[in-house]
Amino acid sequence: ADGFLNPKELLDLALKTKLEALALTDHDAVSGLEELHKFAKNKKIEIINGAELSVYYPNTDMEILALNIPNKSLNAFKEYQNNELNRRKKITNRRIHLLQLAGFDITYEDVAFDTNKIERTQIRRPHFVDVLLKKGYIKTVDEMFEKYFNQPPLSKIKKTCLTAEEVIKIIKKANGIAVLAHPQKLKLSDSELVEKTFLDNMLYTIDKYPKSQVTPTNMGDVGTMTWSAPDGAAVNRFHNYFVGQE
């Protein structure tokens, strides 16, 4: 949901780069999976059901990936998605109102529809950035975040999410795999990540190995995180953003 490619375009790109598997992990949404599976039928690529779920965690922004969600469990995530979409729509309208008060000519329709006039499943900050860049209000992505999103009043908009524990329970109850997303954004040390992010309930490696035997590596690589275990088992996650932020 940070990008602008639809499921078919993502699949075409994955096939072009000869990926063996593709996980679709839209923010707080699973609505694109049905379309992705349809286009991937009879193609030589494995499709992994997923979503990137927003969670509340004190003093930081945290998101948790739900991966390998069984098809029969997707309904639980659709209910979660509907609740999140309603929450995000309120945030979107609040952002638009505050930007209009600051003198920006921006409407809900500007950010709600893509270039093909198709309504987006959800609206996030990159879509605001794209509109304001095109209208000439800002010159760079960083300018938008430094001058507006990271400053009051936009920075004061509250995001009410489920807690990390609650989200992990939803994922595990659905027989999915919970993986911490982009840990480098959390500004926590390796030891804090191990102790504070409920690792006993996250990552398939944790179900197999004691916490003390699982080591986070490559923490400095933007968008990349590898967790390694004694026998060499590992899970790697690369996250490619539209503009490098939410």
Side-chain angles (χ1 to χ4, degrees), residues 207-232:
D207 293 330
K208 185 176 179 182
Y209 304 102
K211 180 168 59 178
S212 60
Q213 296 182 27
V214 181
T215 306
T217 59
N218 295 339
M219 297 298 293
D221 296 341
V222 175
T224 305
M225 179 183 186
T226 300
W227 295 86
S228 58
D231 64 2

Side-chain angles (χ1 to χ4, degrees), residues 133 137-149:
L133 278 170
Y137 285 110
I138 54 174
K139 295 181 179 180
T140 67
V141 171
D142 288 342
E143 180 184 356
M144 184 64 200
F145 281 88
E146 291 171 3
K147 288 187 176 180
Y148 302 103
F149 281 137

Side-chain angles (χ1 to χ4, degrees), residues 2-169:
D2 280 341
F4 289 80
L5 297 180
N6 61 42
K8 184 180 184 304
E9 291 169 332
L10 284 172
L11 177 64
D12 290 342
L13 182 60
L15 293 171
K16 183 178 180 180
T17 53
K18 299 181 179 180
L19 292 181
E20 295 181 0
L22 173 64
L24 181 61
T25 56
D26 281 336
H27 282 283
D28 301 311
V30 294
S31 53
L33 288 169
E34 184 177 352
E35 182 180 354
L36 181 61
H37 278 286
K38 181 180 71 174
F39 288 116
K41 189 175 182 179
N42 299 323
K43 299 290 194 306
K44 293 183 178 181
I45 189 168
E46 179 185 359
I47 300 301
I48 300 170
N49 294 339
E52 186 170 1
L53 309 181
S54 303
V55 302
Y56 169 75
Y57 195 80
N59 303 318
T60 189
D61 290 327
M62 182 182 287
E63 291 169 316
I64 294 174
L65 284 173
L67 292 174
N68 210 31
I69 307 168
N71 288 330
K72 64 181 181 180
S73 299
L74 286 177
N75 283 337
F77 287 89
K78 288 178 181 177
E79 180 180 350
Y80 173 93
Q81 171 185 303
N82 291 334
N83 292 334
E84 280 300 299
L85 292 182
N86 289 332
R87 180 182 70 84
R88 287 188 177 278
K89 189 169 185 178
K90 292 178 181 177
I91 291 175
T92 295
N93 285 323
R94 180 62 178 159
R95 283 173 174 163
I96 289 170
H97 176 67
L98 291 174
L99 287 170
Q100 289 174 339
L101 290 177
F104 291 87
D105 178 18
I106 186 170
T107 66
Y108 181 84
E109 288 71 23
D110 286 336
V111 293
F113 294 86
D114 63 21
T115 54
N116 296 317
K117 305 301 180 184
I118 298 174
E119 188 169 8
R120 296 188 170 100
T121 302
Q122 58 177 284
I123 304 162
R124 299 179 66 83
R125 291 187 293 182
H127 303 124
F128 282 85
V129 174
D130 184 56
V131 169
L132 297 178
L133 278 170
K134 289 176 178 176
K135 291 193 174 189
Y137 285 110
I138 54 174
K139 295 181 179 180
T140 67
V141 171
D142 288 342
E143 180 184 356
M144 184 64 200
F145 281 88
E146 291 171 3
K147 288 187 176 180
Y148 302 103
F149 281 137
N150 294 340
Q151 301 295 330
L154 289 176
S155 64
K156 297 297 183 181
I157 296 177
K158 292 184 179 180
K159 302 176 182 179
T160 55
C161 307
L162 296 179
T163 65
E165 297 99 322
E166 290 171 328
V167 167
I168 292 169
K169 286 179 181 178

